[in-house]
Amino acid sequence: MMGCEEASSRLATLELRLTRNATSPGAVTRLLHLIVAFLFVAGRTAFAVPCQFETQGEGRAAAIVDARSVRLDDGREVRLTGIEPTTTTKPALTALLVGRKVTLRSTDDTPDRYGRQAALVFVGEDDTSVQAALLARGDAIVSAEITDRDCAAALMASEAEARREKKGNWADPSAIKNAESPDDILAGIGRFMVVEGKVLSVRQAGAVTYLNFGRNWTRGFAVTISRRMLPAFESAGISLKSLENRRIRVRGWVEGNTGPRIDVLRVGQVELLGAIEPTGVRP
């Protein structure tokens, strides 16, 4: 709303100048053109759609390579950034993409080590990414790898809506793991998981901070955060010590031998939850 108010204020200033300075039809026309151009730019700024990064190419989706990769008709392989797949992602992608013209948007078009171009994928003239569509249907999970705040928030909101309505992946009660059941989490070692629970203690050991969810530190579930991540959490207004006795939701790849661990590499992997909030509901 601030963008709209600012645009209105500047428009009033332009109108005042028009009244004071317009001494010829040509001057009036030039000022009117200026007003129209200004409002167009201001409107785009005020109501900008998130995730509209720079266009990094276009093409037609020829085939779905795997649950998160698509091959275009010119041979390029694209990895859908910002999501982790579920069991329904691949068939959903097939229905959404195959044979359709797509636009690739991202901050960088550098291929990964497998030669894939990571991007948000848009079908035709649609302003909503395929990733957001998958998340809204419960056919994918937010990976928290996108660092742009507005885009990350938009993807999280799409996932949260699917969780609230128990769509797709979220219809399964076990889709969100309980941090108090470490064996259930450990059974999914090597997989991307979403875990909720209360942080019982926060401990520092060398360059690593441990968020412990169990009283048995060796067997209980824990989140590990390296020292290099501290500035990012501080910038987000989160003190790791303040997470003690707080309920949080964390997402990431499960590691560990005796006790399961998730290593947090981005602030977006951690969400703060309310004290009496129902499991799996919070946006």
Side-chain angles (χ1 to χ4, degrees):
M1 292 302 293
M2 290 299 293
C4 296
E5 293 171 0
E6 184 179 355
S8 298
S9 175
R10 293 184 181 179
L11 175 58
T13 301
L14 283 171
E15 288 175 336
L16 181 60
R17 290 176 179 174
L18 175 63
T19 302
R20 290 177 176 175
N21 301 326
T23 58
S24 69
V28 172
T29 300
R30 286 193 297 273
L31 284 171
L32 285 175
H33 286 171
L34 176 63
I35 291 171
V36 171
F38 173 77
L39 288 177
F40 176 76
V41 173
R44 287 178 63 89
T45 301
F47 300 103
V49 178
C51 301
Q52 298 295 309
F53 302 121
E54 183 179 351
T55 298
Q56 302 289 0
E58 296 178 343
R60 191 171 298 276
I64 303 304
V65 179
D66 56 38
R68 201 174 56 174
S69 300
V70 57
R71 182 175 294 110
L72 304 186
D73 55 0
D74 60 6
R76 281 178 296 165
E77 190 169 322
V78 179
R79 181 180 71 82
L80 276 71
T81 188
I83 60 170
E84 291 295 336
T86 67
T87 56
T88 60
T89 305
K90 189 172 182 179
L93 270 182
T94 301
L96 286 170
L97 287 182
V98 172
R100 308 289 298 278
K101 182 179 178 181
V102 298
T103 300
L104 311 179
R105 294 186 182 275
S106 68
T107 57
D108 185 7
D109 64 352
T110 304
D112 63 15
R113 59 179 176 172
Y114 302 107
R116 301 172 302 182
Q117 181 179 344
L120 287 155
V121 178
F122 295 80
V123 175
E125 301 299 321
D126 198 342
D127 285 336
T128 301
S129 68
V130 170
Q131 285 91 325
L134 291 170
L135 292 167
R137 293 163 42 161
D139 290 326
I141 302 171
V142 171
S143 66
E145 67 181 306
I146 290 181
T147 56
D148 179 86
R149 184 174 299 180
D150 291 339
C151 184
L155 295 180
M156 279 290 193
S158 295
E159 181 194 282
E161 184 65 23
R163 285 202 313 269
R164 279 192 293 268
E165 298 184 8
K166 301 188 183 303
K167 292 182 178 179
N169 176 66
W170 309 111
D172 182 355
S174 67
I176 297 181
K177 301 299 182 184
N178 186 342
E180 296 179 7
S181 302
D183 290 342
D184 289 344
I185 303 170
L186 194 60
I189 192 167
R191 289 172 48 199
F192 191 91
M193 283 190 173
V194 179
V195 181
E196 288 184 359
K198 181 180 179 181
V199 179
L200 297 185
S201 65
V202 178
R203 297 285 185 269
Q204 185 82 28
V208 178
T209 298
Y210 290 82
L211 309 184
N212 297 303
F213 293 76
R215 301 195 183 281
N216 185 328
W217 296 354
T218 59
R219 297 195 60 82
F221 172 67
V223 167
T224 57
I225 304 172
S226 70
R227 182 179 295 163
R228 67 177 179 274
M229 281 298 303
L230 296 183
F233 275 92
E234 290 170 359
S235 296
I238 300 174
S239 164
L240 295 185
K241 190 61 180 177
S242 73
L243 297 181
E244 197 165 276
N245 295 317
R246 291 289 304 272
R247 291 182 63 239
I248 70 171
R249 178 185 300 128
V250 62
R251 62 189 65 220
W253 296 93
V254 178
E255 304 172 354
N257 295 313
T258 56
R261 303 281 187 271
I262 287 181
D263 187 19
V264 167
L265 304 176
R266 302 174 185 86
V267 175
Q269 289 177 250
V270 176
E271 301 169 79
L272 305 184
L273 303 178
I276 58 173
E277 196 170 311
T279 298
V281 172
R282 185 180 188 274

